[in-house]
Amino acid sequence: MLQFLIRRTFGAALILLLISAFTFFMFFAIPQDPALLACGKNCTPDALAIIHTNLGLDKPVTVQYWTFLVGIFAGRDFAVGHCAAPCFGVSFANNQNVWDTIVDRFPLTLSLTVGSLLVFLFLGLGAGLLAAKNRGTWIDKLFSSGSLVVSSLQIYFLGPLVLLALVYTTGWLDKPKYVPFSEDIGGWFMGLLIPWVVMATIFTANYTRMSRSSMIEQLQEEHVRAARAKGMSANYTFFRYAWRGSLIPIVTILGIDLSSLLSGGMVTELTFGLAGLGRLALNSVIEKDLPMLMGVMLVSAALIIVFNLIVDALYAVIDPRVRLS
């Protein structure tokens, strides 16, 4: 297990390095000078030169990239003050510390992503198990046909419909907002309930069909039939043997879907007007704010890598044939 974690850690570091290098050098392929954004409308050549010096834009791109990497581990000094490690730089748009801004926005994105993950796993796996257990009945047909319809929906289409039905028309729920978990658990839950449901609905449909087909396949396996032949009850073999085996392809697809889940969270933020990393990334692209864009991309990539490490570790727990030494 230790060797596995070391290998994956080095692999993750290499991936983050490649992402940062690609984003950094592609940004400078844009013909517009990023210092013009900080300079404003009444920009003079002298003011522009000062901004270039303050932001380090007067140096070669390779030197700027190396300075950026060193700053993450050792900090940097800017005209606006010292940036302690981990330092992702100072925003071109507002001279704010990039890391502090990300830390402020990150809890919302993490709450949105993890909350919707738990909801769609609970609903998707539960619906798939019910459909497989009642194969051929009206319950199976209801979940199977319903998942086909729901899978065609999109967040930006379903979100406004849910707002119209539950907020503006009936008033059953308040408009989505973010309340820190540490301040008010109830407000945190109710404020993100609608975004969770909307995001979970899109993913639940796929996991319902996947869980159903995987469960039906597992019920035909020899070890499940052998357990039934030994006199074990149908419910015991269903959950003890078949259900555990059906989780293996679910975990595999979950690792692939994590990036889609995070990007879906960003779309959800924009749909419901929530100020998380999604809106921060969009604004940084519009404003050509390289430090902010780099910070958001690296944090998002690191989050996906951590999720995938957790998924890989789950194999050894779910499948007794898989053991990491």
Side-chain angles (χ1 to χ4, degrees):
M1 178 66 78
L2 181 60
Q3 294 179 354
F4 166 77
L5 291 177
I6 292 175
R7 289 196 305 268
R8 292 305 301 267
T9 300
F10 276 111
L14 179 60
I15 292 174
L16 292 176
L17 181 65
L18 293 176
I19 292 175
S20 66
F22 176 80
T23 306
F24 199 95
F25 291 107
M26 282 298 294
F27 178 87
F28 282 96
I30 301 175
Q32 185 177 0
D33 187 355
L36 291 174
L37 176 65
C39 193
K41 295 182 179 179
N42 301 320
C43 185
T44 64
D46 292 339
L48 191 62
I50 293 175
I51 293 175
H52 272 98
T53 303
N54 292 340
L55 297 179
L57 297 174
D58 57 333
K59 301 176 182 178
V61 178
T62 53
V63 175
Q64 293 184 47
Y65 179 64
W66 174 252
T67 303
F68 169 79
L69 292 179
V70 172
I72 295 179
F73 301 98
R76 294 174 60 184
D77 289 319
F78 292 90
V80 295
H82 178 71
C83 177
C87 178
F88 288 92
V90 176
S91 170
F92 288 166
N94 51 30
N95 288 329
Q96 292 183 353
N97 187 296
V98 171
W99 177 250
D100 292 342
T101 304
I102 291 176
V103 169
D104 182 62
R105 302 287 189 93
F106 181 72
L108 167 59
T109 300
L110 183 63
S111 297
L112 197 59
T113 302
V114 175
S116 61
L117 170 67
L118 296 177
V119 172
F120 80 68
L121 283 179
F122 176 78
L123 295 178
L125 297 183
L129 289 179
L130 286 175
K133 190 173 179 60
N134 298 277
R135 183 182 181 185
T137 66
W138 66 270
I139 296 178
D140 182 20
K141 295 177 182 178
L142 176 64
F143 284 125
S144 299
S145 58
S147 63
L148 290 175
V149 175
V150 173
S151 62
S152 62
L153 300 177
Q154 298 296 327
I155 294 175
Y156 52 80
F157 172 77
L158 182 60
L161 291 181
V162 175
L163 283 177
L164 180 63
L166 300 181
V167 177
Y168 301 119
T169 302
T170 62
W172 290 346
L173 295 174
D174 294 331
K175 188 176 180 180
K177 61 180 179 180
Y178 176 69
V179 178
F181 181 85
S182 58
E183 294 181 6
D184 183 5
I185 298 178
W188 170 81
F189 179 84
M190 295 304 298
L192 295 178
L193 180 59
I194 292 179
W196 283 342
V197 171
V198 170
M199 277 190 66
T201 300
I202 306 301
F203 286 91
T204 294
N206 295 329
Y207 281 82
T208 297
R209 298 197 307 271
M210 193 184 313
S211 176
R212 175 188 178 276
S213 60
S214 179
M215 193 66 186
I216 291 175
E217 180 180 350
Q218 284 296 314
L219 289 173
Q220 308 302 320
E221 292 289 337
E222 293 184 359
H223 68 282
V224 177
R225 293 183 175 183
R228 291 287 292 125
K230 292 180 179 179
M232 298 182 183
S233 66
N235 288 333
Y236 183 81
T237 55
F238 187 88
F239 290 102
R240 177 63 179 82
Y241 294 101
W243 181 68
R244 186 173 182 176
S246 70
L247 290 179
I248 298 174
I250 301 296
V251 172
T252 303
I253 301 300
L254 179 61
I256 300 175
D257 282 346
L258 287 175
S259 58
S260 300
L261 180 65
L262 188 60
S263 61
M266 294 183 174
V267 174
T268 305
E269 291 176 16
L270 299 176
T271 301
F272 294 103
L274 300 172
L277 293 183
R279 173 165 293 188
L280 191 62
L282 178 62
N283 291 340
S284 64
V285 172
I286 295 175
E287 297 173 347
K288 299 179 178 62
D289 191 351
L290 174 62
M292 195 66 72
L293 178 62
M294 289 285 293
V296 173
M297 290 195 63
L298 289 179
V299 170
S300 301
L303 186 61
I304 293 175
I305 290 173
V306 169
F307 280 163
N308 276 280
L309 283 174
I310 296 174
V311 168
D312 289 341
L314 286 176
Y315 281 111
V317 177
I318 295 174
D319 191 352
R321 298 168 297 182
V322 178
R323 289 294 181 267
L324 300 174
S325 58

